[in-house]
Amino acid sequence: MSDDQPTVAISQDFMGAFAAIPRAQQKKVQEFVGKFRADPFSAGINYEKFHQARDPNFRSVRIDQDYRAIVLKPDTGNVYVLLWVDKHDDAYDWARRHRCDIHPQTGSLQLLQTRVEAGDTDPAKAEDDAGVSATSKGDPLFADLRDRELLRLGVPNDRLELVRTVHDEDGLEALETELPRESFEALYMLAAGESLQQVEQDFAASQTAEVDTEDFAAALQQPHSLRRFVVVEDDAALQAILEAPLEKWRVFLHPSQRRLVQWDTNGPVRVLGGAGTGKTVVAMHRARWLVNHLQEGAGASRKILFTTFTANLATDIRENLKKICTSEELERIEVTHVDQWVSRFLRRNEYPGRIVYDNDSDFGKCWDLALDQRPAEVGLPDSFYREEWERVILPQRIEDRTGYFRARRTGRGVALSRMQRAAIWPVFEELRIAMHQRGLRTIEDATQDAAELIEQGRGGYLPYYAIVVDEAQDMGPQGMRLLRQIVPRGKNDLFIVGDGHQRIYRRRYALSHCGIEVRGRSRKLRINYRTTEETRRFAVALLEGTAVDDLDGGDDDSKGYRSLMHGTPPEVVGFDSFDEELAWVAQRIRELQKQEIADADICLVARTNDRVTRYQKALEAKGVTVRPVSRKQADRRDQEGVRLATMHRVKGLEFRHVFIVDVNDGVIPLRYAVESSEDETERRATRDSERALLHVAATRAINGLYVTHTSSPSPFLTAIA
C-alpha cells in the first residue's frame, strides 16, 4: 500500500457489534462500510468529535438517524479504523469507556477499557477497582515478574500496579475487561502453571526497534494487532467478513497461530491442540501462506494438497478457504479427502482392482467364505477375526503366514502363540484369495498400492510441493505413509494438525513409523477460542481416564488447555419420555429464535442417522423448521431451518447453541457397537471412541450447550455428574 493511500481497518469488536444489531440495520451498515473502505475521505462521511470520548482520536460517524459508528482517526497519519457500531447513545457510551493506544514495548495497537477515575459519576466502581483482590490471602500471583517482563507480555504501563494486586485466578478474571487480550491470556496461562519461558514463546512481543507510539499504520502490522484488527484491502475480503460475522476467527490469528502459519521449516510440522484452539484455521492460513511464499521455483502448475479423512470435512474446508483466499490462490490449493485422492490416482494409473469398504456386499461374501476356514479347536469368536484383520493384517499389510508370525499385535486383547497364529492364518489367506478372484481391494490395501506406485516412480507426474493435513488423528497409518510419498522431502513439505482427544475412528499410528520425522518441529495450541470455559470443562470431563496419544507414540494431555470465555454451564436435563424431551427442546429453540438467534446458529445433534430422522419428523410436527446438514455439501447460512446432524457429521462445524439429544444408556455408547466384540480390550477401545464422539459434539457449542436424555442417562453423563 503506497504512502498516499489510506490504511482502512476493521476491529474484531466492530464485527461483534455488527453481528448483534438487528438484521434490518445491518444492510445500512454494510453500505456505509463499503463506502468507507472505498473512500474514507468521501464528502458523505462526516467525522464528528464529541466530548464524551476518552480518546481524542475517536470520531463518531452517522449511519442513519438512530445508529452511529465509532472510528479511530488519528490526527497524524492516514489511518482509519472502524471500532464499534451501535445505537446513538450506546455507541457514545462505548466510546466513553474505551481508548486506543500503541504499546511502547510491543508496538501493537491496543483497545483498552478506560478505568473510572476520581470525579467520574461512578465512585463505587472506582473503589472496587482500587481494591481488586484486596481481600485475597497469600502472596501476589505475579510477584516474581519484573516490570519489563510484564511489559513484554503486553501489559500497559498504567495497568502494572493493578496486575500486582492480583492474588488468585478469580482476581485475575475480574481484571479481564481492563487488560488487552494478549496480556490477559499470557497472565492467565502463567496462573495456570505454564512456565514464563513457554508463555513468552507464545505471547511475548518480538519487537526490537524503538516504537513510535504515534505511528498507527505500523502498529496495525504488528502480530498482536493483527489478531484484533484486519486491514481490508479489497471489496471481496470486506464482503466475506461482513457476511459471516460468526466466522471472524478466520480473519484474526493469535500471534502463536500466525507464527505456525509462517514457520519456515526444513521438514514436517506437527501441530496439536484441543477442540476450539483454531487448528483448522491455522491449517487453512498455512495453505494460503505456502501458495504465496513458495511460488518461486515451484512452477505455475505446482499446487498445495489440502487433505483430511472424510468427505464432509473436505467439503467444509473447501468452502471456508473461499472466505480467506483469492480465486488465484484457490486455483493452487487442491482440497480432497484421502480416499477420494487414492481412487482418482489409481484410476488414472489403470488400477485393476475395485476398491471396497466394509459395507460392500461382495466383500461380505468374501468374509463368509473366509470364516468357513476358522479352526474350531482355537475357540475364537467370529468378531475376533474381523478385528484381527482390521487391527493387524491390514495396517501391517500382511500377505503370508511368515509375515503374520512376525506381526506386532500391540493393543490386541487376545494373546496368540505361534501355533495359534498358524491355525488361524488360513482364514485371512482365504479372504485374500476370494478378494483377488473377484478383483476387490480394500481402501487400506489400495492406499498402500498407491504409495508403492509413487515410491517406484510409476505413478506419473504429481504437481504438489507441499501437503497440509487436517484432523490427522483419524487418517491411519496407510494414509500417512501415502502422504509421505506424494510430496518430495524438503522445506515445508508436510504440515500436520490433529488432536488425539477427538479421534472418533480407530486408526492409531506413530508419525515416525510412517516415515514422518517431526522432532523439533512440533507445537501445541492451548487456548480454546470457540467454547466457554464451562463447556470446555464439561467436554474434557467426558474423557477423564482415557489414554490419549500425541500422534507420534507419546502421550498427550490437557495441561494448559483453557478457554478464556465464560458463560452459563451446560444444561443436562433428564425426562421421563421422548415426548417430554421433545417438547422441552422445541420450547428452548423457540426462545432462542425470539432472541433473534438465527436458525443457522442452532444445531440439534443425535448419535445416528435414524435418530436424527426421528427428531426431524417430531420437530416438524411441532412446527419447527429444520434442515439436516448435508453429508455432501457445506452448510449455507442463508438457508432457513434449525440444523440437524449426527455426531460424526457435526465434527468440524460450530454453532452458537447446540442440543445433544437422546444421550441415553445404550445409545451413547452405542450398545451394538460395543457388544459386537467379545474382546474386552476392543470393547474398551470402542467406548473410548464413543466418549470422543460426545466430546466432539459438546465442543461444537459457542454460547449454549444443552444435553438431554430420557429414562437412564448415558454412563458418560453419570460419571461426571
Side-chain angles (χ1 to χ4, degrees):
M1 185 174 289
S2 63
D3 293 339
D4 59 339
Q5 285 185 307
T7 298
V8 177
I10 298 179
S11 77
Q12 195 173 33
D13 296 74
F14 180 90
M15 291 165 61
F18 171 78
I21 67 176
R23 296 179 193 175
Q25 303 296 329
Q26 287 183 356
K27 185 176 180 181
K28 292 182 179 179
V29 176
Q30 283 181 302
E31 292 172 354
F32 161 75
V33 174
K35 182 192 302 182
F36 176 83
R37 194 212 71 79
D39 182 11
F41 308 117
S42 171
I45 301 177
N46 183 26
Y47 299 99
E48 297 181 359
K49 287 187 176 183
F50 50 105
H51 69 276
Q52 295 100 327
R54 285 291 177 88
D55 191 318
N57 291 322
F58 281 7
R59 302 289 186 271
S60 167
V61 178
R62 178 189 176 97
I63 303 293
D64 63 12
Q65 184 174 348
D66 295 324
Y67 279 80
R68 298 292 184 272
I70 304 300
V71 179
L72 173 70
K73 184 181 178 295
D75 291 331
T76 59
N78 205 0
V79 173
Y80 299 81
V81 185
L82 284 168
L83 297 174
W84 193 256
V85 62
D86 214 330
K87 286 187 175 181
H88 180 285
D89 292 347
D90 294 330
Y92 277 40
D93 181 62
W94 183 93
R96 186 184 70 84
R97 293 182 289 105
H98 292 83
R99 74 173 198 264
C100 269
D101 293 337
I102 298 175
H103 193 282
Q105 179 77 26
T106 70
S108 62
L109 184 62
Q110 296 182 330
L111 184 63
L112 295 169
Q113 181 165 306
T114 57
R115 307 196 69 230
V116 177
E117 299 169 356
D120 282 337
T121 58
D122 194 357
K125 185 178 187 305
E127 292 177 9
D128 289 344
D129 287 343
V132 170
S133 295
T135 60
S136 301
K137 306 278 186 179
D139 295 331
L141 200 54
F142 306 110
D144 295 336
L145 294 183
R146 289 168 286 192
D147 282 357
R148 67 172 180 268
E149 291 168 332
L150 291 173
L151 288 170
R152 276 205 307 270
L153 296 177
V155 177
N157 271 307
D158 65 353
R159 301 292 198 267
L160 291 174
E161 291 304 315
L162 188 64
V163 167
R164 297 202 178 282
T165 66
V166 175
H167 289 255
D168 51 35
E169 285 192 18
D170 289 340
L172 179 59
E173 288 184 2
L175 292 184
E176 181 174 2
T177 60
E178 305 221 31
L179 292 171
R181 195 66 181 173
E182 64 267 24
S183 59
F184 175 74
E185 290 179 2
L187 295 173
Y188 198 99
M189 298 309 291
L190 286 171
E194 285 293 330
S195 67
L196 178 61
Q197 180 182 6
Q198 180 64 55
V199 172
E200 285 191 326
Q201 177 179 309
D202 291 342
F203 294 90
S206 57
Q207 182 76 18
T208 55
E210 184 176 349
V211 173
D212 181 353
T213 57
E214 299 298 323
D215 191 345
F216 286 85
L220 281 169
Q221 300 304 318
Q222 293 299 318
H224 279 297
S225 302
L226 292 174
R227 66 173 303 197
R228 192 153 189 173
F229 302 90
V230 58
V231 177
V232 183
E233 299 186 5
D234 60 69
D235 291 332
L238 175 64
Q239 194 67 20
I241 291 171
L242 294 180
E243 283 182 353
L246 254 185
E247 297 157 357
K248 59 190 176 185
W249 47 264
R250 296 197 181 98
V251 178
F252 300 100
L253 291 175
H254 186 280
S256 62
Q257 295 173 327
R258 192 173 297 278
R259 281 194 290 271
L260 290 174
V261 168
Q262 301 174 356
W263 193 7
D264 196 9
T265 70
N266 289 318
V269 171
R270 175 192 61 182
V271 178
L272 301 176
T277 54
K279 298 182 301 301
T280 300
V281 178
V282 167
M284 290 192 297
H285 280 272
R286 175 68 170 188
R288 184 187 183 208
W289 183 84
L290 287 168
V291 164
N292 288 311
H293 290 79
L294 295 180
Q295 289 184 358
E296 184 177 352
S301 64
R302 302 301 297 277
K303 292 184 176 183
I304 303 298
L305 177 61
F306 195 128
T307 190
T308 187
F309 181 67
T310 68
N312 297 336
L313 290 173
T315 299
D316 295 333
I317 288 167
R318 191 179 299 111
E319 290 300 310
N320 289 332
L321 278 169
K322 293 178 182 178
K323 296 179 172 66
I324 65 170
C325 294
T326 65
S327 57
E328 292 78 11
E329 291 166 342
L330 285 172
E331 287 179 1
R332 299 193 64 179
I333 303 175
E334 179 182 330
V335 184
T336 184
H337 65 100
V338 68
D339 288 2
Q340 185 181 48
W341 192 95
V342 168
S343 179
R344 290 174 178 172
F345 173 80
L346 292 176
R347 189 164 57 247
R348 191 169 65 246
N349 284 275
E350 299 181 346
Y351 189 60
R354 178 168 70 88
I355 299 174
V356 294
Y357 292 83
D358 289 350
N359 58 356
D360 189 282
S361 59
D362 288 337
F363 183 59
K365 292 174 184 177
C366 293
W367 258 113
D368 292 339
L369 291 172
L371 289 176
D372 288 342
Q373 304 298 317
R374 61 191 183 279
E377 67 274 12
V378 177
L380 294 170
D382 291 354
S383 61
F384 167 86
Y385 295 96
R386 193 63 170 256
E387 293 155 6
E388 190 78 353
W389 170 258
E390 294 175 353
R391 313 284 180 249
V392 180
I393 307 297
L394 283 177
Q396 299 178 55
R397 201 169 198 186
I398 299 168
E399 301 280 356
D400 54 37
R401 188 172 72 163
T402 301
Y404 190 43
F405 287 161
R406 297 172 179 168
R408 301 181 304 274
R409 301 186 66 257
T410 306
R412 296 290 283 130
V414 178
L416 295 177
S417 67
R418 185 182 180 88
M419 184 178 297
Q420 288 173 314
R421 293 196 194 199
I424 67 175
W425 172 251
V427 174
F428 307 117
E429 185 175 46
E430 177 61 31
L431 180 59
R432 291 283 194 196
I433 292 171
M435 292 183 65
H436 178 73
Q437 290 174 341
R438 291 164 173 77
L440 307 179
R441 297 292 277 172
T442 65
I443 185 60
E444 292 84 358
D445 279 333
T447 300
Q448 294 184 84
D449 289 341
E452 287 185 1
L453 279 173
I454 298 170
E455 187 177 15
Q456 295 164 6
R458 297 189 294 121
Y461 172 72
L462 296 175
Y464 316 109
Y465 59 87
I467 298 177
V468 177
V469 188
D470 190 32
E471 302 291 356
Q473 73 278 354
D474 290 324
M475 290 293 287
Q478 298 92 340
M480 295 309 298
R481 291 187 194 112
L482 170 65
L483 296 178
R484 176 64 284 174
Q485 293 298 326
I486 289 176
V487 67
R489 296 175 187 269
K491 292 190 65 174
N492 304 302
D493 51 355
L494 287 166
F495 191 82
I496 302 162
V497 302
D499 176 22
H501 298 83
Q502 298 185 70
R503 180 181 285 108
I504 60 178
Y505 301 99
R506 299 278 300 283
R507 295 178 175 87
R508 290 203 176 202
Y509 62 88
L511 288 170
S512 56
H513 295 164
C514 302
I516 301 171
E517 183 55 66
V518 295
R519 282 183 299 178
R521 294 185 298 274
S522 293
R523 295 292 184 269
K524 189 170 184 178
L525 298 171
R526 292 174 171 82
I527 297 181
N528 181 329
Y529 294 101
R530 178 193 299 137
T531 68
T532 63
E533 175 64 6
E534 291 76 14
T535 295
R536 186 203 67 82
R537 289 175 182 172
F538 174 85
V540 169
L542 292 169
L543 299 178
E544 187 69 32
T546 303
V548 177
D549 69 283
D550 65 356
L551 313 187
D552 202 27
D555 295 328
D556 193 13
D557 57 35
S558 297
K559 180 183 178 183
Y561 177 39
R562 293 284 191 281
S563 173
L564 306 186
M565 300 181 294
H566 287 278
T568 58
E571 292 187 48
V572 181
V573 189
F575 301 92
D576 293 330
S577 68
F578 172 79
D579 289 341
E580 290 182 9
E581 177 193 40
L582 187 76
W584 185 86
V585 169
Q587 178 61 31
R588 293 306 297 269
I589 289 174
R590 292 190 185 99
E591 290 172 2
L592 293 173
Q593 291 171 330
K594 288 179 181 178
Q595 298 169 26
E596 295 194 348
I597 304 296
D599 286 357
D601 293 330
I602 306 171
C603 185
L604 181 143
V605 182
R607 175 63 183 84
T608 65
N609 282 311
D610 288 346
R611 294 177 185 277
V612 168
T613 300
R614 183 188 187 197
Y615 282 88
Q616 177 181 354
K617 292 178 178 177
L619 286 171
E620 287 174 338
K622 285 188 170 290
V624 178
T625 302
V626 296
R627 177 174 293 277
V629 179
S630 171
R631 289 173 292 185
K632 297 181 180 180
Q633 297 178 337
D635 189 36
R636 288 177 46 191
R637 290 187 54 83
D638 60 342
Q639 294 176 327
E640 292 185 2
V642 172
R643 280 21 179 189
L644 304 178
T646 64
M647 288 186 173
H648 283 89
R649 180 61 186 97
V650 80
K651 188 176 177 67
L653 303 178
E654 63 177 36
F655 302 89
R656 286 191 180 182
H657 298 271
V658 172
F659 293 82
I660 308 179
V661 297
D662 201 27
V663 188
N664 300 333
D665 187 17
V667 178
I668 305 174
L670 205 57
R671 180 172 287 117
Y672 70 75
V674 174
E675 295 181 353
S676 64
S677 175
E678 297 183 35
D679 183 340
E680 184 51 41
T681 300
E682 285 291 320
R683 290 187 174 200
R684 184 165 56 251
T686 299
R687 283 192 288 268
D688 287 347
S689 294
E690 294 282 305
R691 285 181 185 274
L693 263 179
L694 186 54
H695 169 84
V696 167
T699 55
R700 303 305 96 193
I702 298 173
N703 301 116
L705 175 62
Y706 316 92
V707 181
T708 64
H709 63 85
T710 57
S711 186
S712 299
S714 163
F716 299 159
L717 294 181
T718 56
I720 64 174

